[in-house]
């Protein structure tokens, strides 16, 4: 649990927590997320909820989170670097690998990180508003 009152999440937050698999809700008090947020959290497949209070997101957002399946994205700023939401999956083992994106910021995220035609990128699916 990230307590209310926290205003920023620094770089490398939970980086390499490869076995972590609990839902995360970022509180409305958070305005910035540093680089490499939850990088290499291979097993994480729980919902991640980002509030509309976020004003900046660093590079490599959710980099190498192989099992990520759901983001509830209410922020109006988006990561745009090529490492954010990259999966590095073996396409021989998975013909379809997608992340469902919900929330008020979903269309902006899908525009900032469009579906890419080559690996290692994920296919983003519009899940609608929540």
């Amino acid at each position: 649990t990230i307590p209310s009152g926290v205003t920023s999440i620094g770089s490398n937050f939970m980086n390499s927590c490869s076995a972590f698999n609990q839902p995360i809700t970022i509180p409305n008090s958070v305005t910035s997320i540093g680089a490499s947020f939850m990088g290499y959290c291979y097993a994480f497949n729980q919902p991640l909820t980002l509030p509309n209070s976020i004003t900046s997101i660093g590079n490599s957002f959710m980099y190498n989170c192989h099992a990520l399946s759901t983001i509830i994205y209410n922020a109006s700023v988006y990561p745009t670097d090529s490492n954010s939401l990259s999966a590095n999956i073996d396409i021989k083992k998975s013909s379809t690998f997608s992340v469902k994106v919900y929330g008020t910021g979903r269309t902006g995220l899908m525009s900032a990180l469009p579906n890419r035609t080559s690996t290692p990128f994920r296919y983003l699916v519009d899940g609608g508003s929540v």
Side-chain angles (χ1 to χ4, degrees):
T1 300
I2 300 170
S4 280
V6 170
T7 58
S8 68
I9 297 173
S11 295
N12 297 309
F13 173 79
M14 293 186 62
N15 194 21
S16 298
C17 292
S18 59
F20 179 79
N21 195 26
Q22 297 294 317
I24 294 180
T25 299
I26 308 292
N28 287 329
S29 57
V30 173
T31 59
S32 67
I33 296 175
S36 299
F37 174 82
M38 291 187 69
Y40 301 95
C41 289
Y42 301 119
F44 183 73
N45 69 356
Q46 299 295 315
L48 169 68
T49 303
L50 279 81
N52 62 5
S53 59
I54 303 291
T55 59
S56 68
I57 296 177
N59 290 340
S60 299
F61 174 78
M62 303 296 292
Y63 177 73
N64 264 335
C65 292
H66 298 232
L68 179 66
S69 62
T70 304
I71 297 176
I72 301 166
Y73 203 95
N74 294 311
S76 59
V77 296
Y78 314 97
T80 57
D81 64 294
S82 62
N83 286 329
S84 288
L85 285 177
S86 66
N88 290 342
I89 61 168
D90 183 346
I91 60 169
K92 294 175 189 170
K93 295 179 183 176
S94 176
S95 60
T96 304
F97 193 79
S98 63
V99 176
K100 290 186 180 103
V101 184
Y102 299 91
T104 58
R106 71 190 184 284
T107 55
L109 180 65
M110 294 177 71
S111 294
L113 294 173
N115 297 322
R116 296 167 174 136
T117 56
S118 62
T119 59
F121 299 102
R122 299 172 187 279
Y123 181 71
L124 302 179
V125 176
D126 189 339
S129 60
V130 289

